[in-house]
Amino acid sequence: GEVIFRTKKKGEINIGIGKVSFSEEKLLENLRAYMLAIQAAKPEAASGKYLQQAVLCSTMGRSVKIRMDTLDPSSPRFMQDR
């Protein structure tokens, strides 16, 4: 599949990782693909922490903060904690 995302003025990225009908495995697979694509798109001139915060929410639901070490592809904990 194709991974498409855009950034907003302050660097925010909103992505859709799936629908309510998707299995947990499919949602995690989509999230992993997005995180790898975002890391690959990081400009070489960018230094320091590229991703600083992540939250997950449904369209009409409350948001939940996600630990960044589980979303950072350069971290040994990447996609390890469910």
Side-chain angles (χ1 to χ4, degrees), residues 4-64:
I4 300 172
F5 59 90
R6 288 189 213 154
T7 59
K8 294 187 176 187
K9 286 184 180 181
K10 294 184 179 182
E12 301 145 358
I13 303 172
N14 294 330
I15 58 174
I17 61 169
K19 300 178 181 182
V20 71
S21 61
F22 285 18
S23 68
E24 180 180 348
E25 290 78 25
K26 183 65 177 169
L27 292 170
L28 289 171
E29 179 183 321
N30 289 349
L31 179 59
R32 181 181 184 82
Y34 270 110
M35 295 312 297
L36 291 171
I38 291 168
Q39 184 71 19
K42 176 182 176 181
E44 288 191 27
S47 61
K49 283 180 115 177
Y50 190 54
L51 298 173
Q52 298 191 8
Q53 175 177 294
V55 293
L56 181 67
C57 67
S58 64
T59 303
M60 300 297 287
R62 300 178 100 178
S63 60
V64 177

